[in-house]
Structure formats: C-alpha cells, structure tokens
Amino acid sequence: MRAFGRVRVPAAAVRLSAAAVAVGLLAGGCSSGPSGVPGAASSDSARPGGSSAPGPGTSGATPLEPLPADVPAGLAPYYAQRPAWQSCDGGFECTTFRVPLDYDHPGDGDLTLAAARSVADPAAAGAVADAGAIPGAGAHDPRLGSLLLNPGGPGGSAVEYLEATARTFDSGVRARYDLVGLDPRGVGRSSPVTCLSGDRMDAFTAVDLTPGDQRGIDALVAADKEFAEGCRKQAGPALGHLSTVEAARDMDVLRALLGDEKLNFVGKSYGTFLGATYAGLFPSRAGRLVLDGAMDPALDSVTGNRTQAGGFETAWAAFAKDCAKREDCPLGRTEQQAGERLTALFAAVRTAALPTTDNGRRLTEAQATTGVIEAMYADFLWPKLRAALADAAAGDGTGLLKLSDAYYGREADGSYPNLMFANTAVNCLDLPAPFSGPEDVQRAVPDFEQTSPHFGRDMAWMALTCAYWPVRATGAAHTIRAAGAAPIVVVGTTRDPATPYAWAQSLAGQLESGRLLTFDGDGHTAYGRHSACVDGAVNRFLLTGEAPEQGKRCDR
C-alpha cells in the first residue's frame, strides 16, 4: 500500500464495498491556487455544541469558503448542456458531458466526463410488502430526484460501483431516486490518467518500503520518481487539474444537467471528502448527503498518514484477537504472539522473497505488508488472510501475493486499472507533500512506529511519492463548515482501518449541520454492510430527510 499524502481506497476495496452491499466501499484541502480553488477565511469554523468535536489539528486549519450562488457567465454553457442518455451495460443509461479543464479559465480546454444511472423504479418498492415501514416513505411516493454515489479512492470508478450495487440498494431508495455514478475527472471513463505499464507497476509495488541502507533508499526514490515522471508524460496539462475541489464543481454541473435543485449524495471513504467539499462550496445546493467512512479535511498530510497507520493497527489488533480464538490461526493463541509472528514473517520475507505459483513472481516484504493491509478492509477477508499467513509461514507466498494484487486491482494479464494513478494525482494536488525527501521520512519514522508498530514504518515511506510530483499542490488542510446546509449524516466505524473513527467525529464536529452516526464494528465503512440499524437510519434520512439523532450508535 502507498499512502500518497492521504488515505485511499484500493481497487479491491471498491469491489469489496460492492460485494458487501450485495450480501446485506487521501485527499486534502483547498486554498487559492492555479486550479481556481476558493480562498480560505481566517475565522474559526468549528460547530458549537453537539456531541462531536473537531479533532486534533483543526485549530490551525482555515475554513473552506463557499462559492457565489450564481453561476458565472463563463460557465453558463457548461450548465446548459443537454446530455444524451443511451442504454448501456445491461439495463443502465450512460452519457458524457464537458467540464472546463480549468474553472478559472473555462476557454482553455475541456475534459469529457462519463456518468451512468439506474432510473428510479417505482415497482421496486412494491416488491417489498412493508416498503412503508419507514414513516413517511410510502411505496407510491413521487421520485426524489437523483442520488449520486461515490465509492472512494480517490480513483474509484463510481460508474463501476453503481453498476455493481444499484440493484442491492433499499427498495424504497431505488423506487424514488435515479441512482447516478459519475467518474470524477481523471478516473475510470472520465479522461483517465495513466502513468506506468503493467510490468513497471509490478516493479513499483514490489520495491522495499522499509529501506535499511542508502541503496534501499535510492531504489525507493527512483521508483517514486519513475512513477511521477510517467504520470507527467502521459497525463499532460490535466495533471494539474484533478483536485477534489474541481471534482466537486464538476458534480454541480452534473446536478444542473440532471435537473435537480439540490445534490443528494452517498459517498464512502474519500467520497466523504468529495461530498463534504461539495457542501462547503455549495451549501445552499446540498441536499441529503451521507458521508460514510469519513475523512478529516483539517489534517495535514503527515498527521493524516500517521493516524491512518493507527487505524490499521487497531484493525490488526481486532483481527489478531479474533484469530487467536480459532483453530486454524497460524499466529498463536494470544494477540502478543500474533504480533510477534507477523513481525518475524515480514523480516523473513525481507531477507528472502517467497516463491509463489504465479508465473515465477516472488513475494516481497512490501507485497506481504500490502496483502495484510488489504484484508483489514473487511472482516470477511480474515479467513483468507489466516490461510495466506499459514502458507507464507510454510514458505509459499501465493496467498499474500493474491491479496496484494487485489489491493492494487492487478488483473490476471498483468495490467492495472487507473485507480492508483488517479489516486496519487488527486492526493498530490489536494495537500502539500508530507515529506520533501528521505531525511524527512527518517525523522518521522519513530512517531509512525509508535502509533503503529506493525505498519507505521511502511506507511511513513509510502508517503514519499508526492515529494517528486511534477505539479505543485493547489490545496491545504482546512475545515468545512457548510453553513446553512441541510443536515449531513456522517457515519463512522469504531475499528475502521482506513478512515479512523476519530476522523468521523472531527468532520461531524466541523459541519454546522453534521449528525454523527456510529457503527461499533470492524471493517471499512458501514452502510449496506453489517448493520440493519445503520441501514435503517441512512435509508430513513434519504427517503424522508429525517436525520438520526446526534450521537446515535449502532452495532451488528
């Protein structure tokens, strides 16, 4: 795993989110810059009162200021487009539309974005006898407009997510909303950014992330520079215009093209940052927003990476505790034994990469770590991780390599999706680089290791890539108040590995109308995964506008 300045959701986690719904898916801030990001004011934006409070680091972050309510004349042609929706992908409708490459200079080139939708189906509610069980949400109520979805990343394809999950949403939601997936700029089908060939990505994912000498440091730096240079060559000018603020402004264009006065939205992980940014820029147009697996925009990139490492440490402890109770656990019978054996395994693989059955590929320590991290995203992967760790202890790295490949979305033919390329491009624009070079990382490693003994060192070095990025960041850490917006539901999971629970507490505390909904459980995100309590509260909000009471807690 590589944390390029902020948390990300890997390709596999996007698919895991879809799979979890079927059975029941880092970014930065905003300041004035060449991409047209609005300026930040100097007043404190923390919401007074309530059970949520801004987290560490918010005191020095300035708030995101809203854009003018009126559409500027130069953007009017974009808001006046008439996109043609056509049948696609087995029961969906697809379209494309234009947005300016640079919102400050709308005449200097365009990007083409892709969207798909599942049209509201009134019959869906009728298929469930008690569709009216949610007060005020009858089976024959009129449609509520569009509900945009984003699975996270940055870099996750919302079109693919929509097509994987649309038919598994609550029947009332499907009856009253057109479900819409918009691939953000640079992602999926929307002018996607690419950087490396499959074989070069194989090398990139295998490079040592815990260098112990100058030779190892040089190899890691060379890999990061090659990645950055590949993005520069292949993406061109678009590389400087893939920020979250610009993606949020694109969503407002689509809102208008869909004919909706307000934007309704469900975002997971990085999608929470995208949705919160929309609310901050366009509070009067924010409709019913659900932000699940919330990010904290007030954190600088170093703090964000370090606290995320702590999230994975928390998830590992939960896995180890569960593993110790099971007969097939290869890690011993106590959490301490599990940690010691994991550390020993990583050290052994670092000394000698393990053979696998995958065409002569060998498992490196970086891939072993990534494989473990991959399984932390969802507890239904824990059995697969137990088996992979047992195989690795016996000298076979195939299981952990498969988990690592799943994290990066590597296909059987050795190709990679664009998720990781877009992920880095967005993150390196949204926040200044956490480190300027290897010396900075070395100074930070002790703090990272204190926060996360098992993953901290790796995640410190993972954050080095943005130091060599070919375009300067246009954002900075900030708070989001979204004054005047309708209630915004923020969902946090207590043992979420990728978006620690404290981030949800902080975001809910920043938002003037934030309502924190807590899921006491494991895995990344909560809606549509484990809890009827969470699903009921979110669906009620989407269908009636009734937000859960502040501080509501749910379990399985």
Side-chain angles (χ1 to χ4, degrees), residues 209-236:
L209 290 172
T210 57
D213 55 26
Q214 191 59 48
R215 181 178 179 182
I217 292 173
D218 291 344
L220 178 58
V221 169
D224 285 338
K225 287 182 176 180
E226 179 187 4
F227 187 99
E229 179 62 12
C231 295
R232 185 193 67 79
K233 286 182 176 179
Q234 298 192 52

Side-chain angles (χ1 to χ4, degrees), residues 416-506:
Y416 288 77
N418 108 293
L419 185 149
M420 290 301 174
F421 308 137
N423 178 277
T424 312
V426 174
N427 285 332
C428 291
L429 277 182
D430 277 348
L431 281 178
F435 305 118
S436 62
E439 297 80 9
D440 287 348
V441 179
Q442 290 171 318
R443 284 190 288 269
V445 162
D447 285 342
F448 274 69
E449 288 186 317
Q450 183 175 6
T451 300
S452 176
H454 296 103
F455 309 109
R457 184 179 182 86
D458 296 76
M459 293 187 69
W461 283 104
M462 289 173 190
L464 184 58
T465 305
C466 287
Y468 310 108
W469 205 241
V471 293
R472 295 184 62 183
T474 56
H478 61 275
T479 56
I480 299 177
R481 187 177 184 184
I488 299 173
V489 175
V490 179
V491 185
T493 297
T494 55
R495 293 179 295 281
D496 190 312
T499 52
Y501 177 63
W503 292 3
Q505 293 176 299
S506 180

Side-chain angles (χ1 to χ4, degrees), residues 29 108 136 149 160 174-175 185 202 353 362 380 424 442 457 470:
D108 289 353
L149 310 175
E160 291 182 5
R174 287 185 286 129
R185 53 174 60 203
D202 279 348
R362 298 180 70 84
F380 63 74
T424 312
Q442 290 171 318
R457 184 179 182 86

Side-chain angles (χ1 to χ4, degrees), residues 386-408:
R386 291 197 299 271
L389 290 171
D391 289 344
D396 181 2
T398 304
L400 284 176
L401 183 63
K402 287 182 177 179
L403 284 168
S404 176
D405 285 349
Y407 180 93
Y408 285 104

Side-chain angles (χ1 to χ4, degrees), residues 123-140 170-173 539-540 543:
V128 180
D130 62 346
I134 295 176
H140 303 293
D170 173 80
S171 60
V173 173
N539 291 333
R540 179 177 289 106
L543 292 171

